[in-house]
């Protein structure tokens, strides 16, 4: 069973990030070094991004075990009209919970900027995964460190618009 204080703290953090995302058309401000050290996973400023902060998407998905709706704020890479997301889990040896949920229930809703769309999640594999991963690592080199620390290949999930 999870520690209720951890669950509550994470829910509170998610609520703050979601509110900030919606108030700023998809951007969340950069964390200070103190915020990052305290576990707020939106990082300090990355080269290549501006002062508005990190553009995120909100992925609405359903729990693989509970069936309950969840909302995960995620870093993303635009892929045409779709999005790639990366299961780094901060370098943990385990995949993030949202990844397991998307594998079990691939129909999702994505909030990007001020738009909300339906999408279908699928795992990128082979050359497609390598191309998307290489582009992301070039943009955010910390992701390569996360993969090395995790001891696993970081999953790349494509969220494809349902048209």
């Amino acid at each position: 069973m999870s520690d209720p204080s951890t669950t509550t703290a994470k829910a509170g953090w998610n609520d703050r990030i979601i509110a900030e995302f919606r108030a700023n058309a998809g951007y969340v401000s950069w964390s200070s070094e103190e915020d990052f050290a305290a576990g707020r996973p939106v990082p300090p400023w990355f080269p290549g991004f501006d002062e508005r902060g990190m553009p995120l998407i909100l992925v609405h998905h359903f729990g693989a075990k509970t069936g309950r709706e969840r909302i995960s704020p995620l870093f993303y890479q635009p892929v045409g009209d779709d999005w790639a997301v990366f299961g780094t889990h901060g370098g943990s040896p385990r995949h993030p919970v949202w990844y397991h949920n998307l594998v079990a229930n691939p129909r999702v809703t994505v909030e990007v900027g001020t738009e909300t769309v339906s999408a279908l999640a699928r795992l990128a594999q082979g050359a497609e995964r390598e191309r998307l991963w290489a582009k992301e690592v070039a943009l955010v080199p910390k992701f390569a460190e996360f993969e090395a620390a995790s001891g696993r290949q970081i999953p790349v999930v494509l969220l494809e618009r349902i048209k």
Side-chain angles (χ1 to χ4, degrees), residues 14-82:
N14 257 7
D15 291 343
R16 288 192 310 273
I17 295 297
I18 290 166
E20 188 174 341
F21 171 98
R22 289 176 176 155
N24 296 304
Y27 284 84
V28 176
S29 60
W30 299 113
S31 294
S32 67
E33 290 294 332
E34 295 78 25
D35 291 336
F36 194 56
R40 182 176 187 239
V42 175
W45 179 80
F46 282 138
F49 295 97
D50 64 30
E51 67 282 346
R52 289 183 294 175
M54 175 62 81
L56 300 176
I57 58 175
L58 300 181
V59 179
H60 297 247
H61 52 96
F62 292 92
K65 293 179 182 175
T66 67
R68 293 187 358 218
E69 184 177 7
R70 307 282 185 202
I71 302 174
S72 295
L74 299 174
F75 299 126
Y76 71 97
Q77 179 186 124
V79 181
D81 286 338
D82 305 322

Side-chain angles (χ1 to χ4, degrees), residues 83-121:
W83 310 271
V85 293
F86 306 87
T88 63
H89 203 36
S92 169
R94 294 188 312 239
H95 295 313
V97 172
W98 63 257
Y99 168 78
H100 296 291
N101 292 345
L102 296 184
V103 168
N105 300 302
R107 292 188 74 88
V108 299
T109 301
V110 177
E111 289 183 60
V112 58
T114 58
E115 182 181 19
T116 302
V117 299
S118 296
L120 194 60

